[in-house]
């Protein structure tokens, strides 16, 4: 079925395409050409214009084979962008089958492994004339920046109500069925400047107010499903000036959307109270980037994956993840999916690597899912 050498070659070619977030033009063109060569109907949407990038989302369709038309379509998705440092990356294939970068960039297995696996699965289906249901393919832009690309998608064009998103680290055969709401915030404390040596009493110390509020808040795990992190704090202009401004940024994640919003309100109130005590003013804003979802373990999208793994002798494990993915916005639009581990390790670092055997496993799983008759 899957041809390992061809799969690795495709992966290496994808890695060689520069594809930072908002700059996926090269990999987008590669994918469009490859999909069209496989007989899919391919379109690129206008997301590039909407988000200020160089490439839109790719949407492609392979009609069901004869006798499979009655089965509902399935959506297979991966993202085109990679985190920095990513420009000039090259894949180095080692004798033991491990694939790394040269150490100066990320490898880009996140998410080139997904792109290569989906292309290989489609190639196998076409070569071997395997019966398959209608297959929809979605390759998104700017996923690494809080799923900006898929957020601009016209969801009305999607027919599938079930999806497999190839975008998770860990051993192939594992999958995420739950992911959190991710909310970021920015708070600015406005105080009053004065000379710190001659008249400190006439100033309002914005940093002191911010630090007092931050010190009252627990960071890290707040309970078994919620985290808060104050990530940056900056302010002041000189060592002899009482700072009149301080900016704080942070993030909240929770498997409960309502709880994430509640923690944000508690955070805002803590800074508002500190501002009042110091006689400062406060500005606060937040952005909900993705909403939490939980896919039932008895759902067909899960059972199908478990069955395919069992057929191929691959250990299957279902879990929750505190990371977001394109599955979050898909879920918001009524599409039920899970996120598959996709032969990527040490992601978001220059120590990222993949393995040829794992690439073959995820490609074979993808073939099995595309051809499943349940």
């Amino acid at each position: 079925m899957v041809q390992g050498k061809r799969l690795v070659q495709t992966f290496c070619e994808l890695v060689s395409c520069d594809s930072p977030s908002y700059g996926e033009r090269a990999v987008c063109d590669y994918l469009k050409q490859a999909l069209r060569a496989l007989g899919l109907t391919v379109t690129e949407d206008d997301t590039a214009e909407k988000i200020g990038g160089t490439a839109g989302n790719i949407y492609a369709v392979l009609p069901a084979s004869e006798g499979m038309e009655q089965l509902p379509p399935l959506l297979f998705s991966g993202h085109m962008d990679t985190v920095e440092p990513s420009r000039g990356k090259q894949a180095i294939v080692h004798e033991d089958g491990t694939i790394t970068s040269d150490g100066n960039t990320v490898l880009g297995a996140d998410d080139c492994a997904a792109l290569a696996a989906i292309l290989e699965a489609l190639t196998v289906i076409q070569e071997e004339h395997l019966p398959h249901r209608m297959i929809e393919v979605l390759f998104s832009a700017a996923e690494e920046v809080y799923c900006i690309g898929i957020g601009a998608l016209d969801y009305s064009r999607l027919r599938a109500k079930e999806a497999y998103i190839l975008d998770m680290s860990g051993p192939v055969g594992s999958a995420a069925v739950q992911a959190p709401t991710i909310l970021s915030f920015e708070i600015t404390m406005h105080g009053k400047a004065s000379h710190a040596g001659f008249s400190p009493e006439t100033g309002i110390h914005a940093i002191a107010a911010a630090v007092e509020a931050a010190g009252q808040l627990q960071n890290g795990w707040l309970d078994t499903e919620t985290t808060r992190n104050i990530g940056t704090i900056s302010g002041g202009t000189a060592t002899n000036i009482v700072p009149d401004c301080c900016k704080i940024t942070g993030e909240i994640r929770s498997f409960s959307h309502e709880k994430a919003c509640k923690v944000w309100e508690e955070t805002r109130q803590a800074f508002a109270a500190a501002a009042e005590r110091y006689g400062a003013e406060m500005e606060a804003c937040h952005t909900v980037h993705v909403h939490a979802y939980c896919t039932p373990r008895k759902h067909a999208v899960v059972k199908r994956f478990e069955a395919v793994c069992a057929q191929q002798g691959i250990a299957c494990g279902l879990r929750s993840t505190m990371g977001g993915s394109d599955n979050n916005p898909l879920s918001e639009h009524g599409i039920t999916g899970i996120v598959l581990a996709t032969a990527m390790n040490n992601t978001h670092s220059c120590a990222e690597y993949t393995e040829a055997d794992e690439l073959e496993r995820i490609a074979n799983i993808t073939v099995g899912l595309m051809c499943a008759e349940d």
Side-chain angles (χ1 to χ4, degrees), residues 83-92 100-108 349-352:
V83 298
E84 298 286 22
S86 67
R87 291 168 174 83
K89 60 190 186 303
Q90 295 293 326
I92 299 173
T100 68
S101 71
D102 64 5
N104 294 313
T105 69
V106 297
L107 173 62
S349 79
C350 294
E352 184 183 13

Side-chain angles (χ1 to χ4, degrees), residues 207-229:
I207 292 178
V211 169
E212 179 178 304
Q216 295 175 349
L217 296 172
Q218 178 182 346
N219 285 288
W221 290 103
L222 307 185
D223 54 35
T224 58
E225 60 180 12
T226 308
T227 64
R228 172 172 50 209
N229 184 59

Side-chain angles (χ1 to χ4, degrees), residues 55-183:
N57 301 308
I58 296 174
Y59 173 71
V61 178
L62 182 65
S65 57
E66 185 176 354
M68 299 279 278
E69 301 91 345
Q70 78 283 3
L71 295 176
L74 292 177
L75 175 66
F76 293 83
S77 180
H79 63 85
M80 296 184 286
D81 60 325
T82 52
V83 298
E84 298 286 22
S86 67
R87 291 168 174 83
K89 60 190 186 303
Q90 295 293 326
I92 299 173
V93 183
H94 301 270
E95 290 186 2
D96 64 356
T98 302
I99 306 172
T100 68
S101 71
D102 64 5
N104 294 313
T105 69
V106 297
L107 173 62
D110 179 11
D111 203 23
C112 289
L115 309 180
I118 292 172
L119 290 180
E120 177 65 18
L122 291 167
T123 302
V124 170
I125 285 174
Q126 300 290 59
E127 284 181 341
E128 301 186 13
H129 307 289
L130 300 178
H132 60 85
R133 64 180 67 210
M134 177 181 171
I135 297 167
E136 293 183 295
V137 175
L138 176 62
F139 292 143
S140 65
E143 186 273 348
E144 294 288 5
V145 283
Y146 291 121
C147 304
I148 291 292
I150 199 171
L153 181 71
D154 176 8
Y155 287 86
S156 66
R157 70 192 317 167
L158 300 181
R159 292 181 55 187
K161 295 301 180 184
E162 297 178 11
Y164 294 99
I165 293 77
L166 282 68
D167 187 19
M168 192 175 73
S169 59
V172 171
S174 55
V177 296
Q178 184 179 30
T181 285
I182 302 178
L183 178 159

Side-chain angles (χ1 to χ4, degrees), residues 179-330:
T181 285
I182 302 178
L183 178 159
S184 66
F185 60 84
E186 179 177 298
I187 298 171
T188 303
M189 300 292 249
H190 295 285
K192 180 182 178 183
S194 67
H195 196 286
F198 292 99
S199 54
E201 71 282 358
T202 65
I204 298 176
H205 206 293
I207 292 178
V211 169
E212 179 178 304
Q216 295 175 349
L217 296 172
Q218 178 182 346
N219 285 288
W221 290 103
L222 307 185
D223 54 35
T224 58
E225 60 180 12
T226 308
T227 64
R228 172 172 50 209
N229 184 59
I230 294 176
T232 70
I233 181 166
S234 59
T237 57
T239 58
N240 64 343
I241 302 296
V242 173
D244 65 348
C245 185
C246 183
K247 182 180 291 186
I248 302 93
T249 64
E251 182 186 81
I252 295 163
R253 300 189 182 212
S254 180
F255 290 135
S256 165
H257 179 74
E258 293 73 17
K259 187 174 291 183
C261 295
K262 180 180 179 181
V263 171
W264 157 241
E265 181 58 24
E266 292 172 350
T267 303
R268 189 196 66 78
Q269 289 180 6
F271 279 90
E276 184 175 357
R277 286 193 295 272
Y278 276 77
E281 295 183 357
M282 184 201 74
E283 290 182 85
C285 63
H286 75 287
T287 301
V288 175
H289 299 285
V290 295
H291 284 70
Y293 71 85
C294 184
T295 300
R297 297 189 178 214
K298 293 184 178 181
H299 194 282
V301 75
V302 177
K303 292 299 183 182
R304 185 183 302 111
F305 172 69
E306 290 177 320
V308 168
C309 287
Q311 291 165 6
Q312 299 184 13
I314 298 173
C316 179
L318 305 178
R319 63 182 178 88
S320 301
T321 175
M322 287 302 285
S325 74
D326 283 341
N327 198 37
N328 290 74
L330 287 172

